[in-house]
Amino acid sequence: QVQLVESGGGSVQAGGSLRLSCAVSGVTNVNKYITWFRQAPGKEREAVAGIDRGNGTLYYVDSVKDRFTISQDNAKNTVYLQMNSLKPEDGAMYYCAAARRVRWWRERLEYDYWGQGTQVTVSS
């Protein structure tokens, strides 16, 4: 069993920053991959950034490269998403998800465990 708890969402103006946290608990061998997804109203849930917690490989979609940074603190068993230069189109509910293994990190069906989400609102 794995539990994921997101926090850190909020409302910011365009150009601002937020840091999201995903606290991970439970069996460690099923949360090797942690990925942040987001879902805006009327849109599909999409992957944003991921991390292979075993070897530290990082994954980003093009739309957030150079603005978002995913990282982990193993001592706190927490994965972070630092979001800078936020744009209105970044506004969404953000979820973290965990998987033992993935063939394609952006595929949401690969992930077995999900958090409840944290809302990010970016005003222009």
Side-chain angles (χ1 to χ4, degrees):
Q1 186 73 14
V2 174
Q3 284 192 319
L4 306 169
V5 180
E6 303 96 334
S7 61
S11 296
V12 296
Q13 290 191 326
S17 298
L18 284 172
R19 188 178 79 158
L20 306 183
S21 300
C22 174
V24 183
S25 62
V27 180
T28 56
N29 67 348
V30 299
N31 59 48
K32 184 173 184 291
Y33 292 87
I34 300 289
T35 292
W36 284 97
F37 288 79
R38 66 185 180 190
Q39 186 168 20
K43 296 189 176 181
E44 290 193 358
R45 192 170 298 189
E46 62 172 354
V48 174
I51 183 169
D52 178 332
R53 304 182 73 196
N55 62 23
T57 301
L58 307 180
Y59 305 91
Y60 297 99
V61 294
D62 288 345
S63 60
V64 307
K65 277 181 183 176
D66 301 323
R67 298 190 299 122
F68 290 11
T69 302
I70 189 170
S71 62
Q72 61 177 338
D73 183 331
N74 289 328
K76 296 183 178 179
N77 217 12
T78 299
V79 174
Y80 302 100
L81 184 67
Q82 177 67 44
M83 306 187 297
N84 298 328
S85 302
L86 282 162
K87 304 176 181 180
E89 53 264 40
D90 293 318
M93 184 71 80
Y94 281 71
Y95 301 89
C96 61
R100 183 195 305 267
R101 64 177 66 87
V102 296
R103 289 167 292 183
W104 175 228
W105 73 276
R106 292 175 61 176
E107 174 53 62
R108 62 183 177 87
L109 297 178
E110 301 261 17
Y111 295 84
D112 300 310
Y113 302 96
W114 293 82
Q116 82 289 349
T118 186
Q119 181 69 45
V120 171
T121 303
V122 184
S123 58
S124 57

